[in-house]
Amino acid sequence: MSDPGGSAGHPSGDKRFKMLDAALRRQQYQSDALLEILHAAQELFGFLSDDVLTYVGRGLKLPLSRVYGVATFYNLFTLEPKGAHTCTVCLGTACYVKGAGDILQGLTEAHGVKAGGTTADGQVSVVVARCVGACGAAPAVVFDHQLTGQQTRAAVLERVKAWRSAP
Amino acid sequence: MNAEELQEIVERELARQETRRHRVAVCTAAGCLSLGSDRVKAALVRGVEEAQLADEVEVFGTGCLGLCEAGALVQVDSRQADGHVCRCLYEKVTEARAVELVRQHLAGGAPLPSGQLPLDDPFFARQHRVVLQGSGVRDPERLESCLAAGAYQSLQKALTELTPTDVIAEITASGLRGRGGGGYPTGLKWSTVHKASGPKKVVICNADEGDPGAFMDRSVLEGDPHRVLEGMAIAGYAVGAEQGFVYVRGEYPLAIDRLKVALKQAERLQLLGNRIFETGFNFRIDLRIGAGAFVCGEETALIASVEGRRGTPRPRPPYPAVSGLWGLPTLINNVETFANVAEVIRGGGAAFAAVGTERSKGTKVFALAGKIARTGLVEVPMGTTLREIVFDIGGGIPDGKAFKAAQTGGPSGGCIPAQHLDLPVDYESLVQVGSFMGSGGLIVMDETSCMVDVAAFFMEFCRDESCGKCVPCRAGTVQMHSLLQKLTHFEGSEADVAQLEELAELLKATSLCGLGQGAPNPVLSTLRYFRDEYLAHVREKRCPAGVCKGSAPAASAGAPAAEVSP
Ligand SMILES: Cc1cc2nc3c(=O)[nH]c(=O)nc-3n(C[C@H](O)[C@H](O)[C@H](O)COP(=O)(O)O)c2cc1C
Ligand code: SF4
Ligand code: SF4
Ligand code: FES
Ligand code: FES
């Protein structure tokens, strides 16, 4: 099963656990760095599996319940694997007033995916955010890590379609 | 670093800037970046190199230039033969336009004939920039550029000329109040932490900015991080703390990057760290990254989150000023509050207090968004009327539509109707009309927005973001939201409206923290000013704005048939 020591790597030999170890070491295994470590883990693995949460708990000497409680409290942490791409639609007030709801509806109609879901082919996850801070250029959509302003329903659908038909 | 060394860096940088004929500032804050300003900047740099103008032209990134919706914005300051500096502000710059700009303006000396914004427009002319004064001047990624524009001079003054008590006296005299929403007097807060006993104290900068529609804090962090760090260090000196934290939301990756860079630069020159300005004062600052929970902006929840726990609020007292992070006396202020500090110390409390109203001093940055011609960031003296902000500065409502309401204060705020447009905007007057300053998000709605729908939108937000610790908020927001949904689906009755009002009072009175206490505000304020809209949904089963398309068959002739679902 899992490895007993927090910093001795992972039996699977997955290199990403070594990088997680480095993050733990940088934080000197301080338990109040739990959020920082979870951020680092999610950056490495894309989501927080039970395995990763257990590993983090051991490293910081925290019970799994505490780690799990924190991981589920915050919106940015996800316990499910995500699609190859992420389309984050801002549903903050400014974007909502400028028609972000219509963009979301378009995604459901054209690609059969709802907020929080992933397209059937596993290519694109649709996420909803509460203000990404580009309200001046609303409505805003984040394509993977790229923040893009003044979006239209057609432009977003086009972008998602391109992702899905890429080889 | 001591005063002379700082002066030397400043003079070297100013001399370097003098040798440049053109200084080209590209807005690299979030709004413009989302419209491609990073590619524009790269094109300008490339163009300048190819034209072999690198000795004459400086291209740099800078903070929000204000009119985000016309991005990508590029500001060119050209030094004339007589030493006079001439400024052009280009809007909607693309990579192709950048190439043109290099060829004509930078190489040829003739500004482009089109695509410029008039700088005497009220949008620019009516502003009074304190917090945003570094935007367009400072390159947030180059410390020298910030130093030349005055960064850390107030810290030096505080450490070498003033005692901690003097600093607090200036802040008190300035009348500065917290910009995080509540408007608590900053001097009073600092003096409470100063007086609190304990060998160790902590300063925290609240950079959670959870209000949807607000982006002031983000712009300051991205455009001028050193201004915030300087304010925190001055606060640390005043209250007797050696450790600071910036708690910044995870949704702001660029602000996080820029803060990291700024911290490293400041530490390298010992503007932060040990024996700052060769005095006995030590102060270090660490970053803490949030992970998407609106309630973490509440100060006790924020403290729990910095400690690596679930961000749930706890009852106050004890206030953080007495017992905060790890039980230590803790000073928590908002980003914009800290960003005002250097100015107070530079010019003195009295000069700062000369701007603003009787009880609200200084300026306030507003994020204008929604149905308004010029969306963006504006900084105006407290007490500027809503009409001036929306119509003179913001250019009014586009497409010939009528103004309906301005929403301030986010999910704890309210909607201000047209009859109050001449209201001078300050902490007290907003509360008087049933709204709230909040962090400064100002969302304008026109006749196509439905107030019941807007209330439902905010209630859904509060329902989703309730931490669930106390029953009134956890269960009450769910109930209020479902009642509002009944209304937007034309399934509500007048009894539902009455129940909504009852629940609103209950939540206000019995919730543990500001989230639950404030959640009913959008409902109460829309009921106060737009009750007829609620009643139209209930009695006539129609939405006057045409937003709600209920599933129930429209009984009244007022509802256009095309909008009735089968
Ligand atoms: C639900 C809730 C969310 C809040 N969010 C923020 C926020 O995002 N940023 C902020 O500065 N203050 C926020 N506050 C206010 C803080 O609790 C606190 O009053 C403020 O940071 C104090 O700083 P100031 O005195 O400089 O305003 C929030 C309060 C509540 C109740
Ligand atoms: S009642 Fe709700 S908050 Fe309490 S333990 Fe159960 S699920 Fe959690
Ligand atoms: S009012 Fe809401 S957010 Fe605040 S403590 Fe209670 S449940 Fe949590
Ligand atoms: S509301 Fe969408 S970016 Fe702010
Ligand atoms: S982000 Fe460029 S002007 Fe505001």
Side-chain angles (χ1 to χ4, degrees):
Chain A
M1 281 285 301
S2 290
D3 185 81
S7 55
H10 191 264
S12 63
D14 189 332
K15 279 219 184 65
R16 292 174 294 184
F17 282 97
K18 282 234 155 52
M19 292 160 89
L20 189 51
D21 286 337
L24 285 161
R25 228 175 298 124
R26 258 199 312 280
Q27 299 289 345
Q28 297 165 334
Y29 306 98
Q30 291 285 317
S31 60
D32 48 78
L34 177 55
L35 266 83
E36 273 63 37
I37 297 298
L38 290 178
H39 273 301
Q42 184 157 302
E43 189 70 22
L44 287 167
F45 295 89
F47 74 107
L48 301 170
S49 64
D50 288 353
D51 209 17
V52 168
L53 291 176
T54 311
Y55 195 83
V56 168
R58 292 228 172 98
L60 297 177
K61 298 204 174 50
L62 287 170
L64 182 59
S65 60
R66 164 85 184 275
V67 178
Y68 191 78
V70 168
T72 50
F73 182 80
Y74 295 94
N75 300 330
L76 294 186
F77 296 136
T78 160
L79 289 99
E80 305 282 332
K82 279 260 141 45
H85 299 282
T86 313
C87 172
T88 309
V89 182
C90 179
L91 263 199
T93 324
C95 292
Y96 182 76
V97 168
K98 288 256 180 122
D102 193 40
I103 294 179
L104 209 56
Q105 202 185 341
L107 287 168
T108 309
E109 282 168 16
H111 294 280
V113 55
K114 284 206 167 113
T118 302
T119 50
D121 55 6
Q123 280 300 307
V124 184
S125 292
V126 173
V127 179
V128 162
R130 298 290 193 183
C131 192
V132 292
C135 327
V141 176
V142 187
F143 298 102
D144 285 335
H145 286 292
Q146 201 192 1
L147 175 62
T148 319
Q150 293 171 359
Q151 285 302 289
T152 59
R153 172 175 166 141
V156 175
L157 293 186
E158 193 55 38
R159 189 78 177 253
V160 168
K161 197 166 127 203
W163 268 343
R164 295 190 67 186
S165 54
Chain B
M1 157 102 53
N2 57 33
E4 291 82 61
E5 286 162 349
L6 176 66
Q7 195 50 35
E8 220 171 276
I9 298 180
V10 168
E11 273 161 23
R12 207 172 334 124
E13 171 68 13
L14 286 175
R16 197 190 62 81
Q17 290 179 8
E18 297 256 316
T19 64
R20 300 295 196 270
R21 206 144 53 86
H22 305 283
R23 298 194 74 224
V24 184
V26 184
C27 176
T28 47
C32 285
L33 275 180
S34 80
L35 302 171
S37 71
D38 49 346
R39 294 191 300 274
V40 169
K41 185 176 157 216
L44 283 167
V45 170
R46 217 169 33 239
V48 165
E49 264 165 28
E50 278 164 15
Q52 297 183 331
L53 289 169
D55 290 340
E56 283 176 46
V57 180
E58 175 182 18
V59 179
F60 65 100
T62 192
C64 179
L65 293 173
L67 198 53
C68 314
E69 148 263 354
L73 293 189
V74 176
Q75 172 183 300
V76 184
D77 283 341
S78 306
R79 194 178 297 274
Q80 309 302 110
D82 59 1
H84 184 74
V85 173
C86 195
R87 171 167 294 178
C88 297
L89 184 59
Y90 292 102
E91 64 169 336
K92 299 189 178 149
V93 182
T94 57
E95 284 166 274
R97 287 253 329 140
V99 173
E100 241 179 282
L101 207 156
V102 172
R103 196 177 315 132
Q104 269 212 37
H105 189 157
L106 304 179
L112 296 179
S114 65
Q116 284 193 42
L117 291 166
L119 287 165
D120 54 359
D121 188 282
F123 182 88
F124 302 104
R126 290 275 184 95
Q127 293 198 41
H128 182 100
R129 288 183 146 205
V130 174
V131 169
L132 297 178
Q133 63 184 260
S135 282
V137 184
R138 297 183 176 187
D139 178 347
E141 290 176 354
R142 272 190 69 237
L143 179 57
E144 296 79 9
S145 145
C146 299
L147 291 175
Y152 296 101
Q153 284 170 13
S154 294
L155 177 61
Q156 184 201 330
K157 177 174 170 187
L159 296 186
T160 55
E161 295 171 28
L162 306 174
T163 65
T165 327
D166 294 338
V167 173
I168 294 174
E170 287 300 333
I171 299 288
T172 308
S174 75
L176 176 64
R177 295 169 64 177
R179 302 295 195 240
Y184 191 81
T186 306
L188 193 54
K189 202 187 261 187
W190 287 26
S191 119
T192 311
V193 181
H194 172 81
K195 286 188 201 127
S197 56
K200 270 178 133 182
K201 294 173 188 177
V202 189
V203 171
I204 298 180
C205 172
N206 187 343
D208 197 50
E209 190 158 65
D211 273 16
F215 54 103
M216 304 74 46
D217 292 351
R218 171 181 194 143
S219 302
V220 174
L221 292 170
E222 289 176 358
D224 203 353
H226 289 291
R227 184 179 302 273
V228 181
L229 302 180
E230 182 181 8
M232 289 177 70
I234 294 171
Y237 174 68
V239 303
E242 297 201 334
Q243 174 71 53
F245 291 95
V246 184
Y247 184 88
V248 53
R249 68 198 309 244
E251 287 91 333
Y252 285 0
L254 182 64
I256 294 168
D257 284 351
R258 297 247 167 98
L259 272 168
K260 281 186 182 159
V261 171
L263 278 171
K264 241 194 226 120
Q265 292 170 336
E267 279 163 14
R268 202 173 48 229
L269 289 193
Q270 275 178 294
L271 295 161
L272 290 174
N274 289 338
R275 300 189 41 80
I276 300 172
F277 284 113
E278 299 183 343
T279 66
F281 178 60
N282 310 325
F283 194 71
R284 52 169 293 124
I285 298 178
D286 286 307
L287 281 187
R288 285 289 180 269
I289 316 293
F294 172 64
V295 74
C296 284
E298 196 279 336
E299 53 192 23
T300 60
L302 187 148
I303 286 170
S305 189
V306 174
E307 290 173 352
R309 296 187 283 119
R310 291 165 70 100
T312 49
R314 61 156 176 81
R316 299 171 306 173
Y319 286 91
V322 177
S323 173
L325 191 64
W326 303 303
L328 304 171
T330 303
L331 174 77
I332 299 193
N333 276 130
N334 163 264
V335 170
E336 196 182 326
T337 313
F338 281 124
N340 271 298
V341 167
E343 182 68 13
V344 172
I345 299 302
R346 192 192 62 77
F352 188 89
V355 177
T357 64
E358 173 84 41
R359 295 179 60 196
S360 302
K361 301 298 185 191
T363 59
K364 180 77 195 87
V365 185
F366 288 100
L368 290 183
K371 302 288 178 62
I372 185 161
R374 306 194 189 104
T375 57
L377 267 197
V378 299
E379 182 170 358
V380 292
M382 290 273 191
T384 306
T385 67
L386 203 53
R387 188 185 301 280
E388 282 178 272
I389 298 176
V390 173
F391 287 92
D392 299 348
I393 298 175
I397 318 297
D399 308 325
K401 297 255 169 43
F403 171 91
K404 187 169 197 175
Q407 208 278 345
T408 71
S412 322
C415 293
I416 305 167
Q419 75 212 62
H420 289 309
L421 270 172
D422 291 308
L423 186 81
V425 177
D426 63 24
Y427 294 100
E428 275 75 27
S429 60
L430 285 180
V431 171
Q432 247 174 37
V433 298
S435 192
F436 183 61
M437 178 75 83
S439 47
L442 205 164
I443 292 154
V444 177
M445 305 188 208
D446 66 11
E447 56 200 283
T448 62
S449 294
C450 166
M451 292 296 134
V452 186
D453 178 62
V454 166
F457 171 82
F458 280 114
M459 194 52 70
E460 182 181 4
F461 178 85
C462 291
R463 182 199 68 183
D464 290 351
E465 295 296 334
S466 166
C467 82
K469 184 167 176 168
C470 59
V471 180
C473 168
R474 183 178 68 224
T477 51
V478 173
Q479 276 200 47
M480 288 186 74
H481 180 251
S482 70
L483 285 170
L484 285 162
Q485 264 198 328
K486 261 173 99 177
L487 300 184
T488 57
H489 287 104
F490 306 138
E491 286 159 4
S493 63
E494 279 174 65
D496 290 328
V497 177
Q499 203 192 354
L500 209 48
E501 285 180 291
E502 231 171 83
L503 278 168
E505 295 308 328
L506 184 81
L507 258 73
K508 253 173 129 69
T510 57
S511 293
L512 172 59
C513 86
L515 193 152
Q517 292 159 6
N521 286 348
V523 177
L524 289 173
S525 95
T526 45
L527 269 168
R528 176 164 163 189
Y529 297 115
F530 301 97
R531 186 173 286 268
D532 51 333
E533 271 191 48
Y534 279 83
L535 293 180
H537 284 74
V538 172
R539 291 183 185 151
E540 301 163 40
K541 310 289 177 205
R542 73 179 181 92
C543 175
V547 172
C548 306
K549 295 165 181 135
S551 50
S556 109
E563 287 184 4
V564 180
S565 327

